[in-house]
Every structure is written in structure tokens, then in C-alpha cells.
Amino acid sequence: MKSKILIAGAILCAISAAPAHAVTKCVALNSNTTCSAAYATNGTTDWTGTCAGTPVSGVGVCSNTKGTTIGTAQTSITTALGTGSNNIHCWCKMTSPAVSSRWIYGGSSDLSSDHCGYICAANCATYLQSQSAFRRAMFSSLSD
């Protein structure tokens, strides 16, 4: 019995001591990629779609950082305390199959922070499917 425990311990040690190797992802998404079947449910932060046959997904977040046009990219965004019209600007980020390193502007709500939160992910999905500038910005900033 002791020998089985020693062997199991040696195997475990050998496995945990193995060197880590980098993994490369091959994602066929670029500025010319077209997308279809993008959707999100109002009131959620998650959106999904299919681009060049690849399933993609991401999140939509409302911020007080204002964008200028659909597809504007920011490396970071902020949110403001309070309610009302503070966080009315929708920003989108792809999370799978790769992570976009920038937030991509997905429009603003003219009503309130609550309304922005309700429609933001749906905006991300809509623009992923319909706006080439949005896709270009999203797919030109991919990282692991």
C-alpha cells in the first residue's frame, strides 16, 4: 500500500512540475469579417453572435464615458455614482473566442442609466451584425 501511495505521489509531483507552454489561439476574425445571427435579451449584459462561422460573445456596459460615433474605441471606461443620466453611454467588449482589448462604443440612451442598462447588450449585438466600423474596431483589438 505504501508503494502505491509513493508512486501516486511521484506521478502527481511530476505532473505539477511540468513546464507551462504558451497556447496560441487561431481566430479567423478581422476587419473584413461579416457577422450574422447576433442577438441579446434586453435587460442583460451578455450578447452573442456568429461571425465568419465562429460563435462570438461579449458584454455591454453603460458608462459615463461618452463616445463620438458607433465603433469608437477606448482602452478604458468609467462609471459615475448616482442615478439618472450619469451612465447613459453603451460600451461593448468581446469576451470569446478572444478578448477585445478595447471597449467599442455602442450608442447612448436619451432616457436614463436604467434604460441604457436595459438596451446596451442588444445594441452591441445589433451593431456587431450591421455596422462594419463597429466590427473593424472590435476585431482589430483582440488579445488573450
Side-chain angles (χ1 to χ4, degrees):
M1 181 69 171
K2 280 186 181 182
S3 64
K4 288 182 183 179
I5 293 173
L6 289 175
I7 291 171
I11 292 172
L12 182 61
C13 184
I15 290 171
S16 64
H21 296 283
V23 175
T24 303
K25 286 184 186 177
C26 294
V27 179
L29 302 173
N30 60 50
S31 60
N32 297 318
T33 299
T34 58
C35 301
S36 62
Y39 64 93
T41 302
N42 282 338
T44 66
T45 58
D46 300 326
W47 54 265
T48 62
T50 303
C51 300
T54 302
V56 297
S57 59
V59 295
V61 175
C62 293
S63 166
N64 68 333
T65 303
K66 186 175 183 181
T68 52
T69 59
I70 301 302
T72 299
Q74 293 281 345
T75 55
S76 64
I77 57 174
T78 60
T79 56
L81 292 175
T83 59
S85 61
N86 291 327
N87 301 308
I88 61 169
H89 308 289
C90 177
W91 291 89
C92 311
K93 185 174 263 210
M94 185 171 67
T95 57
S96 179
V99 178
S100 56
S101 60
R102 299 180 293 175
W103 290 94
I104 311 303
Y105 182 60
S108 296
S109 168
D110 294 333
L111 301 176
S112 68
S113 297
D114 288 343
H115 185 254
C116 181
Y118 186 73
I119 65 166
C120 185
N123 282 2
C124 298
T126 297
Y127 294 135
L128 180 74
Q129 187 171 349
S130 66
Q131 299 286 325
S132 60
F134 185 90
R135 288 189 303 274
R136 233 184 339 271
M138 182 75 67
F139 299 151
S140 67
S141 67
L142 300 179
S143 66
D144 279 339

